[in-house]
PDB file of all heavy atoms in Angstrom:
ATOM      1  N   LEU A 181      -2.288  -0.472  13.504  1.00 92.00           N
ATOM      2  CA  LEU A 181      -2.418  -1.122  14.746  1.00 92.00           C
ATOM      3  C   LEU A 181      -2.388  -2.681  14.548  1.00 92.00           C
ATOM      4  O   LEU A 181      -3.215  -3.222  13.887  1.00 92.00           O
ATOM      5  CB  LEU A 181      -3.765  -0.749  15.510  1.00 92.00           C
ATOM      6  CG  LEU A 181      -4.033   0.724  15.618  1.00 92.00           C
ATOM      7  CD1 LEU A 181      -5.410   1.015  16.044  1.00 92.00           C
ATOM      8  CD2 LEU A 181      -3.021   1.396  16.540  1.00 92.00           C
ATOM      9  N   SER A 182      -1.295  -3.288  15.116  1.00 88.00           N
ATOM     10  CA  SER A 182      -1.167  -4.714  14.909  1.00 88.00           C
ATOM     11  C   SER A 182      -1.022  -5.431  16.255  1.00 88.00           C
ATOM     12  O   SER A 182       0.048  -5.520  16.821  1.00 88.00           O
ATOM     13  CB  SER A 182       0.171  -5.049  14.096  1.00 88.00           C
ATOM     14  OG  SER A 182       0.024  -4.412  12.815  1.00 88.00           O
ATOM     15  N   GLY A 183      -2.123  -5.642  16.903  1.00 75.00           N
ATOM     16  CA  GLY A 183      -2.186  -6.304  18.253  1.00 75.00           C
ATOM     17  C   GLY A 183      -1.971  -5.241  19.299  1.00 75.00           C
ATOM     18  O   GLY A 183      -1.946  -4.074  19.086  1.00 75.00           O
ATOM     19  N   PRO A 184      -1.758  -5.722  20.550  1.00 74.00           N
ATOM     20  CA  PRO A 184      -1.562  -4.786  21.694  1.00 74.00           C
ATOM     21  C   PRO A 184      -0.263  -4.142  21.587  1.00 74.00           C
ATOM     22  O   PRO A 184       0.663  -4.541  20.892  1.00 74.00           O
ATOM     23  CB  PRO A 184      -1.652  -5.735  22.883  1.00 74.00           C
ATOM     24  CG  PRO A 184      -1.162  -7.092  22.336  1.00 74.00           C
ATOM     25  CD  PRO A 184      -1.654  -7.121  20.923  1.00 74.00           C
ATOM     26  N   SER A 185      -0.118  -2.991  22.355  1.00 58.00           N
ATOM     27  CA  SER A 185       1.144  -2.274  22.411  1.00 58.00           C
ATOM     28  C   SER A 185       2.240  -3.154  23.072  1.00 58.00           C
ATOM     29  O   SER A 185       1.982  -3.721  24.131  1.00 58.00           O
ATOM     30  CB  SER A 185       0.876  -0.939  23.206  1.00 58.00           C
ATOM     31  OG  SER A 185       2.139  -0.387  23.557  1.00 58.00           O
ATOM     32  N   LYS A 186       3.394  -3.122  22.530  1.00 52.00           N
ATOM     33  CA  LYS A 186       4.501  -3.919  23.124  1.00 52.00           C
ATOM     34  C   LYS A 186       5.797  -3.146  23.041  1.00 52.00           C
ATOM     35  O   LYS A 186       6.018  -2.370  22.100  1.00 52.00           O
ATOM     36  CB  LYS A 186       4.663  -5.279  22.366  1.00 52.00           C
ATOM     37  CG  LYS A 186       3.461  -6.118  22.176  1.00 52.00           C
ATOM     38  CD  LYS A 186       3.878  -7.419  21.476  1.00 52.00           C
ATOM     39  CE  LYS A 186       2.646  -8.288  21.041  1.00 52.00           C
ATOM     40  NZ  LYS A 186       2.089  -7.648  19.829  1.00 52.00           N
ATOM     41  N   THR A 187       6.674  -3.387  23.992  1.00 56.00           N
ATOM     42  CA  THR A 187       8.008  -2.899  23.888  1.00 56.00           C
ATOM     43  C   THR A 187       9.059  -3.782  24.602  1.00 56.00           C
ATOM     44  O   THR A 187       8.612  -4.479  25.589  1.00 56.00           O
ATOM     45  CB  THR A 187       8.110  -1.421  24.535  1.00 56.00           C
ATOM     46  OG1 THR A 187       9.462  -0.928  24.413  1.00 56.00           O
ATOM     47  CG2 THR A 187       7.757  -1.496  26.046  1.00 56.00           C
ATOM     48  N   GLY A 188      10.228  -3.810  24.101  1.00 51.00           N
ATOM     49  CA  GLY A 188      11.262  -4.510  24.768  1.00 51.00           C
ATOM     50  C   GLY A 188      12.446  -3.666  25.252  1.00 51.00           C
ATOM     51  O   GLY A 188      13.478  -4.101  25.496  1.00 51.00           O
ATOM     52  N   ASP A 189      12.090  -2.310  25.321  1.00 53.00           N
ATOM     53  CA  ASP A 189      13.148  -1.366  25.652  1.00 53.00           C
ATOM     54  C   ASP A 189      13.619  -1.398  27.093  1.00 53.00           C
ATOM     55  O   ASP A 189      14.744  -1.002  27.432  1.00 53.00           O
ATOM     56  CB  ASP A 189      12.684   0.062  25.307  1.00 53.00           C
ATOM     57  CG  ASP A 189      12.462   0.307  23.826  1.00 53.00           C
ATOM     58  OD1 ASP A 189      13.066  -0.515  23.054  1.00 53.00           O
ATOM     59  OD2 ASP A 189      11.723   1.196  23.436  1.00 53.00           O
ATOM     60  N   ILE A 190      12.803  -1.894  27.990  1.00 55.00           N
ATOM     61  CA  ILE A 190      13.110  -1.908  29.405  1.00 55.00           C
ATOM     62  C   ILE A 190      13.769  -3.209  29.793  1.00 55.00           C
ATOM     63  O   ILE A 190      13.175  -4.237  29.878  1.00 55.00           O
ATOM     64  CB  ILE A 190      11.813  -1.734  30.256  1.00 55.00           C
ATOM     65  CG1 ILE A 190      11.028  -0.431  29.803  1.00 55.00           C
ATOM     66  CG2 ILE A 190      12.164  -1.659  31.741  1.00 55.00           C
ATOM     67  CD1 ILE A 190       9.705  -0.265  30.440  1.00 55.00           C
ATOM     68  N   GLU A 191      15.124  -3.129  29.927  1.00 58.00           N
ATOM     69  CA  GLU A 191      15.951  -4.267  30.255  1.00 58.00           C
ATOM     70  C   GLU A 191      15.718  -5.485  29.322  1.00 58.00           C
ATOM     71  O   GLU A 191      15.812  -6.615  29.784  1.00 58.00           O
ATOM     72  CB  GLU A 191      15.660  -4.649  31.711  1.00 58.00           C
ATOM     73  CG  GLU A 191      16.074  -3.602  32.678  1.00 58.00           C
ATOM     74  CD  GLU A 191      15.854  -3.991  34.186  1.00 58.00           C
ATOM     75  OE1 GLU A 191      15.315  -5.096  34.430  1.00 58.00           O
ATOM     76  OE2 GLU A 191      16.229  -3.236  35.045  1.00 58.00           O
ATOM     77  N   GLN A 192      15.388  -5.155  28.065  1.00 52.00           N
ATOM     78  CA  GLN A 192      15.165  -6.192  27.076  1.00 52.00           C
ATOM     79  C   GLN A 192      14.069  -7.213  27.454  1.00 52.00           C
ATOM     80  O   GLN A 192      14.059  -8.373  27.087  1.00 52.00           O
ATOM     81  CB  GLN A 192      16.463  -6.949  26.810  1.00 52.00           C
ATOM     82  CG  GLN A 192      17.606  -6.006  26.356  1.00 52.00           C
ATOM     83  CD  GLN A 192      17.290  -5.319  25.079  1.00 52.00           C
ATOM     84  OE1 GLN A 192      16.992  -5.893  24.078  1.00 52.00           O
ATOM     85  NE2 GLN A 192      17.323  -4.042  25.123  1.00 52.00           N
ATOM     86  N   THR A 193      13.127  -6.742  28.307  1.00 52.00           N
ATOM     87  CA  THR A 193      11.994  -7.547  28.683  1.00 52.00           C
ATOM     88  C   THR A 193      10.763  -7.119  28.007  1.00 52.00           C
ATOM     89  O   THR A 193      10.425  -5.921  27.999  1.00 52.00           O
ATOM     90  CB  THR A 193      11.821  -7.515  30.231  1.00 52.00           C
ATOM     91  OG1 THR A 193      13.001  -7.920  30.879  1.00 52.00           O
ATOM     92  CG2 THR A 193      10.589  -8.378  30.703  1.00 52.00           C
ATOM     93  N   LEU A 194      10.038  -8.054  27.383  1.00 45.00           N
ATOM     94  CA  LEU A 194       8.843  -7.735  26.667  1.00 45.00           C
ATOM     95  C   LEU A 194       7.756  -7.248  27.613  1.00 45.00           C
ATOM     96  O   LEU A 194       7.424  -7.941  28.570  1.00 45.00           O
ATOM     97  CB  LEU A 194       8.339  -8.963  25.866  1.00 45.00           C
ATOM     98  CG  LEU A 194       7.052  -8.649  25.038  1.00 45.00           C
ATOM     99  CD1 LEU A 194       7.285  -7.668  23.913  1.00 45.00           C
ATOM    100  CD2 LEU A 194       6.513  -9.942  24.426  1.00 45.00           C
ATOM    101  N   THR A 195       7.255  -6.061  27.380  1.00 50.00           N
ATOM    102  CA  THR A 195       6.182  -5.469  28.214  1.00 50.00           C
ATOM    103  C   THR A 195       5.010  -5.113  27.289  1.00 50.00           C
ATOM    104  O   THR A 195       5.136  -4.467  26.287  1.00 50.00           O
ATOM    105  CB  THR A 195       6.650  -4.147  28.872  1.00 50.00           C
ATOM    106  OG1 THR A 195       7.881  -4.432  29.689  1.00 50.00           O
ATOM    107  CG2 THR A 195       5.597  -3.593  29.776  1.00 50.00           C
ATOM    108  N   VAL A 196       3.828  -5.610  27.709  1.00 50.00           N
ATOM    109  CA  VAL A 196       2.593  -5.386  26.930  1.00 50.00           C
ATOM    110  C   VAL A 196       1.861  -4.188  27.559  1.00 50.00           C
ATOM    111  O   VAL A 196       1.681  -4.191  28.740  1.00 50.00           O
ATOM    112  CB  VAL A 196       1.776  -6.623  26.883  1.00 50.00           C
ATOM    113  CG1 VAL A 196       0.451  -6.376  26.097  1.00 50.00           C
ATOM    114  CG2 VAL A 196       2.509  -7.818  26.251  1.00 50.00           C
ATOM    115  N   GLY A 197       1.387  -3.309  26.675  1.00 46.00           N
ATOM    116  CA  GLY A 197       0.571  -2.193  27.174  1.00 46.00           C
ATOM    117  C   GLY A 197       1.382  -1.003  27.638  1.00 46.00           C
ATOM    118  O   GLY A 197       0.861  -0.160  28.369  1.00 46.00           O
ATOM    119  N   ALA A 198       2.669  -0.917  27.386  1.00 54.00           N
ATOM    120  CA  ALA A 198       3.520   0.138  27.865  1.00 54.00           C
ATOM    121  C   ALA A 198       3.170   1.489  27.235  1.00 54.00           C
ATOM    122  O   ALA A 198       3.234   2.522  27.932  1.00 54.00           O
ATOM    123  CB  ALA A 198       4.971  -0.169  27.680  1.00 54.00           C
ATOM    124  N   HIS A 199       2.858   1.572  25.978  1.00 56.00           N
ATOM    125  CA  HIS A 199       2.579   2.772  25.246  1.00 56.00           C
ATOM    126  C   HIS A 199       1.226   2.842  24.614  1.00 56.00           C
ATOM    127  O   HIS A 199       0.972   3.664  23.738  1.00 56.00           O
ATOM    128  CB  HIS A 199       3.695   3.002  24.150  1.00 56.00           C
ATOM    129  CG  HIS A 199       5.075   2.864  24.666  1.00 56.00           C
ATOM    130  ND1 HIS A 199       5.605   3.691  25.615  1.00 56.00           N
ATOM    131  CD2 HIS A 199       6.121   1.997  24.378  1.00 56.00           C
ATOM    132  CE1 HIS A 199       6.855   3.403  25.842  1.00 56.00           C
ATOM    133  NE2 HIS A 199       7.167   2.410  25.169  1.00 56.00           N
ATOM    134  N   GLY A 200       0.343   2.008  25.037  1.00 65.00           N
ATOM    135  CA  GLY A 200      -0.992   1.955  24.435  1.00 65.00           C
ATOM    136  C   GLY A 200      -1.735   0.841  24.954  1.00 65.00           C
ATOM    137  O   GLY A 200      -1.409   0.250  26.084  1.00 65.00           O
ATOM    138  N   PRO A 201      -2.879   0.381  24.335  1.00 90.00           N
ATOM    139  CA  PRO A 201      -3.685  -0.683  24.807  1.00 90.00           C
ATOM    140  C   PRO A 201      -2.935  -1.975  25.094  1.00 90.00           C
ATOM    141  O   PRO A 201      -2.094  -2.379  24.323  1.00 90.00           O
ATOM    142  CB  PRO A 201      -4.721  -0.869  23.709  1.00 90.00           C
ATOM    143  CG  PRO A 201      -4.756   0.455  22.971  1.00 90.00           C
ATOM    144  CD  PRO A 201      -3.346   0.961  23.057  1.00 90.00           C
ATOM    145  N   LYS A 202      -3.292  -2.624  26.192  1.00 91.00           N
ATOM    146  CA  LYS A 202      -2.707  -3.824  26.535  1.00 91.00           C
ATOM    147  C   LYS A 202      -3.478  -5.057  25.958  1.00 91.00           C
ATOM    148  O   LYS A 202      -3.000  -6.188  25.995  1.00 91.00           O
ATOM    149  CB  LYS A 202      -2.620  -4.019  28.060  1.00 91.00           C
ATOM    150  CG  LYS A 202      -3.911  -4.099  28.764  1.00 91.00           C
ATOM    151  CD  LYS A 202      -3.692  -4.277  30.303  1.00 91.00           C
ATOM    152  CE  LYS A 202      -5.028  -4.233  31.018  1.00 91.00           C
ATOM    153  NZ  LYS A 202      -4.894  -4.288  32.489  1.00 91.00           N
ATOM    154  N   LYS A 203      -4.628  -4.781  25.316  1.00 94.00           N
ATOM    155  CA  LYS A 203      -5.332  -5.761  24.657  1.00 94.00           C
ATOM    156  C   LYS A 203      -6.040  -5.138  23.466  1.00 94.00           C
ATOM    157  O   LYS A 203      -6.624  -4.064  23.502  1.00 94.00           O
ATOM    158  CB  LYS A 203      -6.419  -6.333  25.573  1.00 94.00           C
ATOM    159  CG  LYS A 203      -7.115  -7.642  25.022  1.00 94.00           C
ATOM    160  CD  LYS A 203      -7.835  -8.376  26.171  1.00 94.00           C
ATOM    161  CE  LYS A 203      -8.229  -9.776  25.695  1.00 94.00           C
ATOM    162  NZ  LYS A 203      -8.696 -10.668  26.773  1.00 94.00           N
ATOM    163  N   ALA A 204      -5.950  -5.786  22.311  1.00 95.00           N
ATOM    164  CA  ALA A 204      -6.499  -5.395  21.053  1.00 95.00           C
ATOM    165  C   ALA A 204      -7.557  -6.389  20.537  1.00 95.00           C
ATOM    166  O   ALA A 204      -7.242  -7.585  20.396  1.00 95.00           O
ATOM    167  CB  ALA A 204      -5.451  -5.200  20.000  1.00 95.00           C
ATOM    168  N   ILE A 205      -8.769  -5.958  20.334  1.00 97.00           N
ATOM    169  CA  ILE A 205      -9.922  -6.760  19.829  1.00 97.00           C
ATOM    170  C   ILE A 205     -10.398  -6.226  18.564  1.00 97.00           C
ATOM    171  O   ILE A 205     -10.635  -5.011  18.406  1.00 97.00           O
ATOM    172  CB  ILE A 205     -11.006  -6.811  20.889  1.00 97.00           C
ATOM    173  CG1 ILE A 205     -10.489  -7.279  22.255  1.00 97.00           C
ATOM    174  CG2 ILE A 205     -12.204  -7.677  20.416  1.00 97.00           C
ATOM    175  CD1 ILE A 205     -11.561  -7.098  23.415  1.00 97.00           C
TER     176      ILE A 205
END
Side-chain angles (χ1 to χ4, degrees):
L181 309 170
S182 300
S185 167
K186 307 183 192 75
T187 182
D189 293 340
I190 305 171
E191 298 182 355
Q192 302 301 301
T193 300
L194 180 64
T195 302
V196 178
H199 306 299
K202 62 182 179 181
K203 191 162 194 171
I205 301 171

